[in-house]
C-alpha cells in the first residue's frame, strides 16, 4: 500500500523539491490520526505516531517499534521531517549554537540558551530556543550579520519545529521558551510561523506566553497577526527613536514610517490585550545618547509596552561599537525617569557567535 500525502503542504518561496512527500512533523494529533486511517491502520496508531514524533523525537518511521514491520516497509518513504546536525559549538556560558542541514542542503542556525538555577539550587531551570524562520534574511539591517548573507527561502512548518526538538534532544531537557529571533523575518513567513506556533503550543506543549515572535515591522502584518488573538509576546525591533535614524539602520524603514509602525503596534495591544516589547540595540555614539532615550520615551508615551535594551554584539562586516556600562545606565535612567518600562539584555553565546545579531549560519 502506498503512502497517501498527509495534508497539502504550505507552498514555499522558491521551493526546491516540490515532488517530496510532505513531512509528518508539524501535524496535529487529529491530522496524524486521519493519515494512519488513510493507510488502513486503526485510529489509535495516530496517538502512537504523535508520541513518537513529539515525545521520543523519532527520525524515521522505520524506528517506531510499536508498528508492524510490514507497515513500516510500506510507508518507508514518508519523511518525518527532521534535519541533520551540520555543526555544534558551545560557549563558556553553556549556550549552544547548532547549524542544521535541511533536506535541500540549505544550512540554518538555531541556538539553545540554558538558564541555571540561582545559588546551585538544582539543575537548569529554563531552556530557551532561538529559532530561525528563513534561510538568510531579506531585511539587511546594517548592524546584523544575518542580513549580510542574503535571502534564500522561507522555512516550512516542520523545519521550524524541528529546531526546538533538536535542542531538546541535545540538552536532554524540555524546552520552556521559544523566541523567533534567529535567521529571517518571521512576518514575511507568516503562514508557516503561525502553523509552527500552533504546533509548539498544542503538540510540543509549550505555553503561548512562553513564545515570542520578533519582527522589524512589515506593513499590515502586525495588524493581521493580531487577528489570530494569540497570547504570545510580540517583540518589535525598533533600534531608533525617529524615522531618519531608523532608515539609516534598517533599509526597510524607508517604506514603512515609524509612526505607521507604532500605530499598528497600538492596534495589536488593543486587539490582544498583550503589551508589545520593543527591542533596541544600543550602538555607541549612534543611538545611545540621553536625547535618544528621551525621544524614545516620547514615542512610547501612553503605550502598553516594554523596552528591551540590547548592548551591541560585534560582527566583522561593520565597525559599530558597544557603549560602555555608564552610557547604558544613563540611557536606562532617562527612560525610567519618563516612566518607560525598561530592562537590559546582555546576550548569551557571544563567544560562539550565537548572540543577538551575530547569527549567519556559518561556523565563524
Amino acid at each position: 500500500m502506498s503512502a497517501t500525502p498527509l495534508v497539502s503542504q504550505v507552498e514555499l518561496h522558491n521551493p526546491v523539491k516540490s515532488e517530496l512527500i510532505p513531512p509528518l512533523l508539524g501535524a496535529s494529533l487529529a491530522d496524524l490520526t486521519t493519515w494512519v486511517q488513510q493507510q488502513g491502520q486503526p485510529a489509535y496508531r495516530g496517538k502512537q505516531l504523535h508520541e513518537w514524533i513529539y515525545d521520543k523525537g523519532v527520525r524515521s518511521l522505520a524506528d517506531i517499534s510499536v508498528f508492524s514491520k510490514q507497515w513500516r516497509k510500506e510507508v518507508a518513504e514518508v519523511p518525518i521531517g527532521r534535519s541533520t546536525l551540520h555543526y555544534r559549538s558551545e560557549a563558556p556560558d553553556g549556550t549552544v549554537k547548532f547549524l542544521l542541514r535541511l533536506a535541500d542542503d540549505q544550512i540554518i542556525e538555531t541556538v539553545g540558551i540554558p538558564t541555571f538555577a540561582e545559588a546551585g539550587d538544582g539543575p537548569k531551570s529554563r531552556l530557551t530556543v532561538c529559532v530561525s524562520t528563513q534561510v538568510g534574511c531579506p531585511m539587511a539591517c546594517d548592524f546584523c550579520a544575518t542580513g549580510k548573507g542574503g535571502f534564500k527561502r522561507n522555512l516550512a512548518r516542520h523545519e521550524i519545529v524541528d529546531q526546538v526538538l533538536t535542542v531538546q534532544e541535545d540538552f536532554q531537557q524540555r524546552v520552556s521558551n521559544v523566541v523567533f529571533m534567529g535567521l529571517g523575518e518571521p512576518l514575511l513567513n507568516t503562514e508557516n510561523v503561525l502553523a509552527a506556533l500552533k504546533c509548539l503550543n498544542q503538540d510540543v506543549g509549550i505555553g503561548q506566553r512562553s513564545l515570542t515572535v520578533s519582527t522589524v515591522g512589515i506593513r499590515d502584518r502586525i495588524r493581521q497577526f493580531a487577528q489570530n488573538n494569540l497570547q504570545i509576546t510580540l517583540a518589535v525591533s525598533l533600534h531608533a527613536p525617529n524615522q531618519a535614524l531608523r532608515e539609516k539602520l534598517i533599509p526597510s524603514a524607508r517604506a514603512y514610517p515609524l509612526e505607521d509602525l507604532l500605530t499598528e503596534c497600538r492596534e495589536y495591544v488593543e486587539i490582544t490585550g498583550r503589551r508589545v516589547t520593543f527591542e533596541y540595540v544600543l550602538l555607541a555614539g549612534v543611538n545611545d545618547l540621553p536625547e535618544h532615550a528621551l525621544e524614545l520615551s516620547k514615542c512610547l508615551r501612553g503605550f502598553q509596552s516594554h523596552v528591551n535594551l540590547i548592548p551591541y554584539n560585534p560582527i566583522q562586516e561593520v565597525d559599530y561599537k558597544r557603549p560602555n556600562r555608564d552610557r547604558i545606565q544613563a540611557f536606562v535612567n532617562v527612560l525610567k525617569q519618563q516612566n518607560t518600562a525598561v530592562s537590559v539584555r546582555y546576550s548569551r553565546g557571544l563567544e560562539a557567535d550565537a548572540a543577538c545579531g551575530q547569527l549567519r549560519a556559518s561556523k565563524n
Side-chain angles (χ1 to χ4, degrees), residues 195-210:
L197 287 168
K198 181 179 179 180
C199 179
L200 292 172
N201 176 230
Q202 298 182 3
D203 301 297
V204 181
I206 302 171
Q208 284 194 24
R209 296 199 173 197
S210 297

Side-chain angles (χ1 to χ4, degrees), residues 111-130:
V111 181
I113 309 166
T115 300
F116 295 90
E118 295 289 338
D121 290 334
K124 309 178 191 75
S125 59
R126 186 172 66 180
L127 178 58
T128 298
V129 182
C130 178

Side-chain angles (χ1 to χ4, degrees), residues 18-71:
S18 59
E19 74 278 9
L20 288 179
I21 300 171
L24 300 179
L25 180 60
S28 67
L29 174 58
D31 286 338
L32 293 173
T33 299
T34 297
W35 183 76
V36 298
Q37 290 179 304
Q38 289 174 343
Q39 312 309 309
Q41 296 295 312
Y44 70 84
R45 292 293 189 201
K47 183 177 181 180
Q48 291 176 328
L49 181 55
H50 188 273
E51 290 174 350
W52 278 77
I53 289 175
Y54 295 108
D55 296 335
K56 298 179 184 294
V58 69
R59 291 178 172 270
S60 169
L61 290 180
D63 296 330
I64 304 181
S65 58
V66 295
F67 294 166
S68 70
K69 290 183 179 179
Q70 179 59 36
W71 190 51

Side-chain angles (χ1 to χ4, degrees), residues 303-317:
F303 206 114
Q304 189 177 348
S305 62
H306 181 92
V307 176
N308 195 3
L309 299 176
I310 308 168
Y312 172 68
N313 298 310
I315 62 173
Q316 297 174 359
E317 292 87 344

